[in-house]
Amino acid sequence: MTKGLNLTKRGKVNKCIIGTCGISSEGLSTSLEEEGLLVHEMIKRSDQVIVIAGSTKFNKTFFQKVCDLDSVDIVVTDKEVPKNMQETLKKHVVEVIVVPGQERE
């Protein structure tokens, strides 16, 4: 992971599209320390951060914090965001896009 982290530190991107294990009022988090550090570096070098987070990810916090919500521009999810998180995301000026998933038979 160190090589990936070093390469990331040299780059700059327009958009960073990431997933997350958890999204809460404390920010984004993951269960893997190295993953959290790598994604954190990617976010720092991005003009726009887009998070893909299924509805089960909200109000969850994991071991490694990735970033505060102030670093996130857009959250794309599959269902309406819980009310408490709607207010929190609005406070941090995070746009929420709901793309309903297809029901499986």
Side-chain angles (χ1 to χ4, degrees):
M1 183 68 80
T2 303
K3 184 176 181 181
L5 191 56
N6 288 335
L7 287 172
T8 302
K9 287 182 177 182
R10 291 188 251 155
K12 177 77 174 140
V13 297
N14 293 329
K15 295 182 189 312
C16 176
I17 302 172
I18 58 171
T20 187
C21 292
I23 181 168
S24 70
S25 60
E26 297 176 23
L28 305 183
S29 60
T30 184
S31 58
L32 302 171
E33 182 178 13
E34 290 179 348
E35 176 185 348
L37 296 172
L38 179 62
V39 174
H40 179 78
E41 284 300 322
M42 291 170 51
I43 289 169
K44 285 178 19 180
R45 286 154 176 66
S46 303
D47 294 329
Q48 184 179 44
V49 176
I50 302 166
V51 178
I52 310 298
S55 56
T56 60
K57 307 293 183 175
F58 289 93
N59 290 313
K60 297 212 173 140
T61 303
F62 288 82
F63 167 74
Q64 180 66 42
K65 184 171 182 175
V66 175
C67 70
D68 292 323
L69 291 175
D70 290 334
S71 298
V72 177
D73 298 294
I74 300 170
V75 171
V76 180
T77 189
D78 60 336
K79 294 182 182 173
E80 186 175 334
V81 176
K83 293 287 184 203
N84 70 314
M85 284 303 300
Q86 286 179 19
E87 294 170 13
T88 300
L89 293 168
K90 185 176 180 178
K91 181 177 118 181
H92 290 277
V93 195
V94 176
E95 178 184 356
V96 176
I97 299 172
V98 178
V99 181
Q102 292 182 328
E103 295 295 322
R104 296 183 185 204
E105 296 179 14

